[in-house]
Amino acid sequence: MEAASQLIKVSGDDTAQKPEAKAEVKTDNEIYHDLVETLFATQGSFLAGIAAGMLAPTIAWLSTWQSVYLQLIILMSCMAAYRISVLLAYTRQPPAQRRKDARRWEFRYAIGAVGFMTAVGITAAILFIEHHDEMLAYYGVILMTGCAGALASRNSGRPMIVFGQVIGACAPLAIACLFYYSFWYWGLTLILIIGMISVKSTTTFLHANLETALRNGYEAVKQRTLFSLALNSMTHGLCMGDADLSVTVVNRRVIDFFGIVAATTPIRLEALAHAIGKSVGMSPQEGKIFFERWRRHVTMPRASIFTHKLGERFFEFHCERAEAGSFITVIEDVTIQKRALREIERIAHFDDLTNLPNRYQFQETLEEEMVQLRQRGFHAALLNIDLDRFKEVNDTLGHSIGDQLLSAVGARLAACVPRPHVVARLGGDEFCVLLRAGERLPDVDQLAADILTEMHRTFIVENHVINIGASIGMAAAPRDSETSGGLLKCSDLALYRSKADGRGKAIWYSQEMQDALTRKRAIDTELRHAFLANELIVYYQPVVDSRTATIVSLEALLRWRHPTRGMISPGEFIPIAEETGMIIELGAWALRQACNDAKSWPSNVRVAVNIAPRQFQQKDLAEMVAATLRESGLEPDRLELEITETTLMVSDDVESKLREIEALGVRLSLDDFGTGYSSLGYLNRFPVKKVKIDRAFARQAIESPKTQAIISAISALAQDLSIDLVAEGVETDAQLAFMASKNIFLIQGYLYTRPRPIEELRPLLEYWRDAPRLVSAA
C-alpha cells in the first residue's frame, strides 16, 4: 500500500504514467480488501479456535474452583462474544459496503483476536505458575501453543494481527519462566521465543504467497477482461475450439452476425453450425451441408478459406489449425465485396445493351453443357442468328437507333426462347440461342421459324418504323460436334450458307458445308502459292461481229493451270479470291497482263478486263488503271473495263470513280445486263459504252416468248442510247440467227470459241476464215 501511495506521489505530475499508477493503486486496494475478507472467511476454524481457547480456563476452574479461572472464563467469554458479534455484523453487511469499510473491520477483528489470544496466553502462564507439576499446566501450554501455531495459516492475510496474537499468547508464559531462575525454564522461554519467530516467518511466507496468488488472479482477470474486450471489439467473428470439435470461445461478433443467442461454451461445432443455419432460415439439408463444409475445413492440416451464403449475406470462413489439434475460425462478412464482385462479374459476363449473356459467359455455359452432354448422353442444339439489313439501320438512322433496335431484338429473342435455354449476344448484330442439354430437345425447327417471324415483324424505335430480318444457322450436338468450339463453327457455317442462299432462312449444318470450307481453305492456300509460282494465266474469248466474222475485242479471263490437278475452273477459285481479298492482287496482275498482250494486237481489237467488286472499292482504282496503261503503252480507248451491277450496288462513291475512269479514255462496259433490279437506271446515270446481255437470255431465246420480248426491248434501248450491245453465251446457229433478227450482231460464246490462250487466237485476229457468218447462218 505504501509503495502504491509513493508511486502516485512520484508520478503525480507525469500525465503519461497516471493511468498506470491509478490502475496499480486500484489493484492494491482490491488485494487489501480480499486479504481482510480472508480473516472472516473460515468461520469453522474461527469458532473452533474460540472453543479451544476457553477449554483451559474452564478445565482449570472445574478442577480447582479458583476464582481467577472463573474471572478468565468471564473475560474470554466477553471477548468471544465480541468476536462473534463482529463476525455476524460483517457477514450481514453487503459485500461492496464491507469492502469499502475494510479498515474498520480489520481493526475490530484485530482487537478481538489479539485480546482473546492474550487471555489464552495469560491463562497458560497462570496454569504453569500455579500447577506446573500438574496436568492442568500441560493443558494450558498445549492449548496456548496449538492456538499460536494455527494462527499463521488462518490469519496470514494480515500478518500484524498474527504477530499481535502470537505475542499475546506466548509472551506471558515466556516471561513467567524467566522468574524461576533455572536453565530448564529459561530454555522453555527460548523455545517460546523461537516459536514466535517461526510463526512470524511462516506468516510472512504465507502472506506473500497469498498476496501473489491474489495479484496473479487479478492479473488473470484483467487479461481475461482485456482478451474478452478485444474479442468482442473485433469486426470479425471468432470461434476457437479443440480437436474434438468442441467450441470453447465464441465472440460477440458471431452472435451479432447471425442473431443467435449467446452460447454457453463449450458447445459442439455441429450445434453452433445448426444454430447459425436455423437463424438464417436454412433447411435441415442446407444446414447439414454448411456444417460438413465447416468441419472439413477446420480439420484440414493447413489454413483454408471457404465462402458461404447465409441468408442474404455472404461470409468468408478463414480456418486454421493450432496446437494439439485445436482450431481457429475467423468469420468475415464479405457481402459488400461479394456484391461488388458480382457487379464486376455481371459487367464481365453480360451485355450492357441487351442485358443478355455476352460471348464470354455464353462460351462458358456452352462448355459446361457439352460436359453434361458427354457424361450423360444428352442432346443440345445451337442457333446462330445474324440480323439482315442491320447495317442499313446504323448507316441511315444512326448508332443510337441501332443500339435501341438491338435491345428490342434481345427482348424478343428472350421472349421466344423458354427457360432454361439461353439467349446471348455475341457482339454486333450476332445472337446465339443454346437449347440446353437434355434427353429430348424441343422442336428446333419450329423455334427457328418463330424467331424468324419475330425478327421480320416491324420494330418501332423512336417513331421510326424499322423492318429487318434474320438468318439462322443451326447445329446439333453430339451429331455435328461434341465440343463447344466445334458446335459454334458448325452453326457459323450453317449461318454463312443461310446468308449466301438469300437470307431470311434457318438452315441446319451439314458435312457438305465443312467439306466446302476445307476445299475453300485448300484452294486459298494453293492459289496464293500459284500466284507466286506463275501458275496463273490469262485466256481470252473473242467478241465477234457476226456480219463479217471479225474479232472486235477479246475478253480477258483468268485461268489456273494446276501442276497436278490440271485446269481449275474460275468458278471455283474466283469467289474465294473475292472473299479473301486476294482478287485485288489477281485483278491488278490480270489487267497488266491483258494490256501487255493487247499492245501487240491489231489496233482495231480491244481488250476487255473484268473488275471485281472488291477491286472497284479501292480508292486509287483510277490511278492503278492509269499506271497500268502507261507501263504497257496501250492506248486507253482500246481498254474496256467490265463492271457488273453487283459491283455498282456494293461500292461507295460509284459515280465519281466511273467519271475518273472515263476521263482516262477507257471504255466502260456493263456486264450481265438484265439480271439486276436497276440496270436501266445505271444506263441513265453512268457513262456506259457497251452492254453485255447475260448468257441466260441466249439459252432461253428460242423457246421463251418472254425472253424474246426482253431481248427486243434491250436491243431497241441500246440503239436509242447508241450503246454497243453484246450477246453472251451464244452456242448455236439458231441463237445467232435470232440475235441477228433483233439487230444484235456482236456475239460472244462457244459458237465461235471457248476461251483460249492468246497464242491460239493470234492468227484469227486479222481474219477468221472458218468463223460462222450470218450469210451462211441464213
Side-chain angles (χ1 to χ4, degrees), residues 289-342:
I289 293 171
F290 170 54
F291 163 67
E292 287 296 331
R293 198 175 183 195
W294 196 354
R295 182 197 61 77
R296 185 172 69 255
H297 280 269
V298 299
T299 55
M300 288 182 180
R302 296 181 180 178
S304 61
I305 300 174
F306 72 94
T307 303
H308 207 93
K309 185 179 182 184
L310 298 170
E312 297 300 319
R313 294 186 294 171
F314 291 88
F315 293 90
E316 198 167 74
F317 291 73
H318 300 250
C319 303
E320 189 167 349
R321 301 287 285 180
E323 295 180 357
S326 59
F327 66 87
I328 300 172
T329 298
V330 177
I331 306 171
E332 181 180 3
D333 186 344
V334 294
T335 305
I336 295 176
Q337 298 94 308
K338 234 1 178 182
R339 286 174 180 166
L341 287 173
R342 280 194 164 188

Side-chain angles (χ1 to χ4, degrees), residues 512-523:
E512 175 194 9
M513 299 175 188
Q514 180 60 48
D515 295 341
L517 177 63
T518 302
R519 286 197 304 273
K520 183 187 296 184
R521 288 176 177 170
I523 289 173

Side-chain angles (χ1 to χ4, degrees), residues 36-52 80 83-93 98 105 109 153-155:
V36 172
E37 283 191 354
T38 62
L39 301 176
F40 299 92
T42 56
Q43 297 176 5
S45 64
F46 174 83
L47 296 175
I50 291 176
R83 295 188 70 188
I84 292 172
S85 68
V86 170
L87 174 64
L88 292 175
Y90 180 84
T91 56
R92 288 173 184 153
Q93 193 173 31
R98 68 193 186 203
W105 288 113
Y109 184 90
S153 60
R154 210 178 75 72
N155 294 332

Side-chain angles (χ1 to χ4, degrees), residues 70-378:
L70 180 59
Q71 294 171 5
L72 289 170
I73 290 173
I74 293 171
L75 175 62
M76 294 177 70
S77 296
C78 291
M79 296 298 296
Y82 170 77
R83 295 188 70 188
I84 292 172
S85 68
V86 170
L87 174 64
L88 292 175
Y90 180 84
T91 56
R92 288 173 184 153
Q93 193 173 31
Q97 185 60 40
R98 68 193 186 203
R99 290 178 72 84
K100 183 178 180 181
D101 299 334
R103 292 192 179 281
R104 184 163 58 89
W105 288 113
E106 181 187 8
F107 178 72
R108 292 180 181 179
Y109 184 90
I111 291 175
V114 174
F116 185 82
M117 288 306 299
T118 301
V120 172
I122 293 172
T123 301
I126 294 172
L127 287 173
F128 186 80
I129 294 170
E130 296 295 330
H131 311 284
H132 62 275
D133 290 331
E134 300 176 17
M135 183 61 69
L136 286 174
Y138 297 142
Y139 265 95
V141 173
I142 290 172
L143 288 172
M144 179 270 295
T145 55
C147 289
L151 295 175
S153 60
R154 210 178 75 72
N155 294 332
S156 60
R158 302 308 299 153
M160 294 305 296
I161 294 176
V162 176
F163 300 157
Q165 288 180 299
V166 169
I167 292 172
C170 298
L173 180 57
I175 293 171
C177 290
L178 292 175
F179 290 100
Y180 281 93
Y181 304 105
S182 170
F183 285 109
W184 293 105
Y185 291 97
W186 291 353
L188 186 57
T189 298
L190 182 59
I191 291 172
L192 290 172
I193 293 172
I194 293 172
M196 288 189 287
I197 295 171
S198 176
V199 170
K200 180 181 182 300
S201 176
T202 301
T203 302
T204 302
F205 173 75
L206 292 175
H207 174 78
N209 285 341
L210 179 59
E211 186 175 358
T212 300
L214 289 172
R215 194 173 296 278
N216 289 340
Y218 271 104
E219 189 64 28
V221 170
K222 179 181 176 182
Q223 292 300 324
R224 284 198 300 272
T225 302
L226 291 175
F227 179 64
S228 178
L229 180 63
L231 285 180
N232 293 321
S233 300
M234 291 175 63
T235 58
H236 294 43
L238 178 70
C239 297
M240 301 174 66
D242 297 329
D244 62 353
L245 298 185
S246 61
V247 180
T248 55
V249 175
V250 177
N251 75 342
R252 172 61 56 184
R253 189 62 62 184
V254 175
I255 309 302
D256 296 340
F257 273 162
F258 308 111
I260 59 177
V261 178
T264 301
T265 52
I267 181 175
R268 300 295 300 172
L269 181 63
E270 184 175 7
L272 179 59
H274 174 74
I276 292 174
K278 187 175 180 182
S279 71
V280 298
M282 277 187 179
S283 67
Q285 183 65 24
E286 290 173 329
K288 185 176 181 181
I289 293 171
F290 170 54
F291 163 67
E292 287 296 331
R293 198 175 183 195
W294 196 354
R295 182 197 61 77
R296 185 172 69 255
H297 280 269
V298 299
T299 55
M300 288 182 180
R302 296 181 180 178
S304 61
I305 300 174
F306 72 94
T307 303
H308 207 93
K309 185 179 182 184
L310 298 170
E312 297 300 319
R313 294 186 294 171
F314 291 88
F315 293 90
E316 198 167 74
F317 291 73
H318 300 250
C319 303
E320 189 167 349
R321 301 287 285 180
E323 295 180 357
S326 59
F327 66 87
I328 300 172
T329 298
V330 177
I331 306 171
E332 181 180 3
D333 186 344
V334 294
T335 305
I336 295 176
Q337 298 94 308
K338 234 1 178 182
R339 286 174 180 166
L341 287 173
R342 280 194 164 188
E343 180 60 19
I344 293 172
E345 184 177 353
R346 189 197 69 78
I347 294 172
H349 289 76
F350 286 86
D351 174 54
D352 284 339
L353 200 59
T354 62
N355 206 32
L356 295 173
N358 61 13
R359 179 183 294 274
Y360 177 75
Q361 182 179 351
F362 183 77
Q363 288 178 334
E364 279 192 341
T365 304
L366 180 58
E367 185 62 42
E368 292 171 1
E369 291 303 306
M370 300 305 282
V371 172
Q372 289 286 325
L373 179 145
R374 290 190 292 268
Q375 291 178 347
R376 306 180 67 178
F378 282 174

